[in-house]
Amino acid sequence: MSSKQHAENPENAERAGKAGNAETTAADSTAPAGPRPARLTAAAALAAVEGAALAAFGAYVLVMGLTGDPDSPRQAETGGLTLLVLAALPLAAARGLLLRRRWSRGPALIVQIMAVPVAWTLISTGGGMIAAGVALAVTAAAVLALLVNPTATEALGIGPRDTSS
């Protein structure tokens, strides 16, 4: 069978497509060689702590909305569910960082950038929230610093782009 006939045969084209997809999937799922840097592990751990704290607070708000006596039960329930859904982003990013997935750096950075105004708001309210705001600000700054570090970017397979033509 000639190569032209081989390519025109639908069964062969389907097999080639599956093989190409399997190769692409295998290439995407493989982590870069070498051990995971401690900086990447620390960034993943801090992102996981943020996600767990967000989930815990969301569960608390949801339960208090359902069983407590809030001013607006519907608002409390909606807020709790929203926090639970939002907790998925840092938790997924943390898992991706542990597995050294290239895509995970973006969501992890976005979560930290979004945490800065939240920390500022907590600090501005005063009282007991100042400690929570400072802790969030320090954690966000630490994760940002860890994720932009060249060691972490190389471990994720992110390097400088070649702009020469």
Side-chain angles (χ1 to χ4, degrees):
M1 183 183 281
S2 73
S3 61
K4 184 176 179 182
Q5 290 172 333
H6 187 272
E8 291 175 354
N9 186 346
E11 291 177 10
N12 292 334
E14 183 178 307
R15 271 189 246 133
K18 286 182 182 177
N21 289 342
E23 290 170 7
T24 303
T25 304
D28 291 341
S29 66
T30 58
R36 182 177 52 242
R39 293 172 197 258
L40 197 57
T41 304
L46 289 172
V49 167
E50 286 175 331
L54 197 55
F57 186 62
Y60 171 77
V61 170
L62 181 62
V63 168
M64 294 315 295
L66 293 171
T67 62
D69 189 25
D71 292 335
S72 173
R74 177 172 280 159
Q75 187 176 6
E77 293 160 7
T78 303
L81 286 173
T82 301
L83 290 173
L84 287 172
V85 170
L86 288 174
L89 186 60
L91 291 172
R95 185 173 190 279
L97 290 172
L98 280 176
L99 297 174
R100 296 172 65 179
R101 299 290 189 256
R102 182 181 203 159
W103 62 263
S104 62
R105 184 174 178 247
L109 289 171
I110 290 168
V111 167
Q112 306 319 311
I113 292 169
M114 289 178 4
V116 173
V118 173
W120 178 255
T121 303
L122 290 173
I123 292 169
S124 299
T125 60
M129 296 309 237
I130 292 175
V134 169
L136 181 58
V138 168
T139 302
V143 175
L144 283 170
L146 290 168
L147 289 176
V148 299
N149 186 285
T151 306
T153 56
E154 288 174 16
L156 292 170
I158 302 168
R161 294 185 180 180
D162 185 19
T163 57
S164 62
S165 300

